[in-house]
Each structure stands twice: as C-alpha cells, then as structure tokens.
Amino acid sequence: MSLKTVDTKKAPGAVGPYSQAIAFERFCFTSGQLPINPETGELISDDIEKATEQSIKNVEAILNEAGFTLEDVVKTTIFVKDMKDFSKVNGVYEKYFSSHKPARSCVEVSTLPKNGLIEIEAIAYK
C-alpha cells in the first residue's frame, strides 16, 4: 500500500496541521479548499462566483499534482456560508462538472476558516 502526501505550490498551502491531499492507491482525498489565490495568498471574499471558481481551481491543481483530473472526481463536498448563493455556486460548478457529475453534498455552515464564503473538497478515483 502506497500512501502519498500531496503538496503543490499551485494551490494554497494548508492553514493548519494537515496536508493538501492524501493519495492512496487509486484514490485521492483533498482537504477543503478555500478560495485563496495561491500566487498572491489573497482570499476572495467579495464574490461567490469568483470564490467558487478559485476553490475548484485549487482542488484541480492538487488533483493534478497527484496524477488525477477533475474527471476522476467521484464525490465533492461544498461548504457555503450562505445557502442563498446555491444557484450561483451551481452555475460555476457546472462549468467544471458538466458531462461528468460526481456525487455531491452542499451544506451551509456558520463560519469557515478565514471567514471564507466557500470551501470545496473532493474524492477522486482512477
């Protein structure tokens, strides 16, 4: 069994004692990704659509580092600060998962790290 910690500069570093992802055999489990631009370290906190896009790009960068793609994603979990943003999140999400639709959960939470608007995690399988 091969357990690999995934680390890439193309996504923001962990803001706590955890890794960006763990790849195990044919699976990759990402940690939740806030909408932080990895080049600037800036959190997108004023636009849910831009924030959703950045969170997905961060998940994608981590998956790519581990040898996976968004097409390999079998499950996502989305945490949103305000469920009123659900349709806007879906609009962006559908750009990345149009023909391939993984299982998904979406829940509203009272607070996210750094007071983010959204956090997305994924499980991929090859």
Side-chain angles (χ1 to χ4, degrees), residues 2 35 38 47 49 57 59 62 64 94 101 114 118:
S2 175
D47 184 314
E49 290 167 316
K57 286 181 178 180
V59 167
I62 293 166
N64 290 169
E94 191 170 32
K101 294 180 176 34
K114 298 186 175 258
I118 189 167

Side-chain angles (χ1 to χ4, degrees), residues 77-86 89 105-112 116-119:
T77 305
I78 300 174
F79 305 94
V80 292
K81 189 172 182 178
D82 189 343
M83 196 55 84
K84 291 177 188 166
D85 290 328
F86 186 75
V89 170
S105 300
C106 182
V107 295
E108 180 180 276
V109 295
S110 62
T111 307
L112 286 164
L117 299 176
I118 189 167
E119 183 174 3

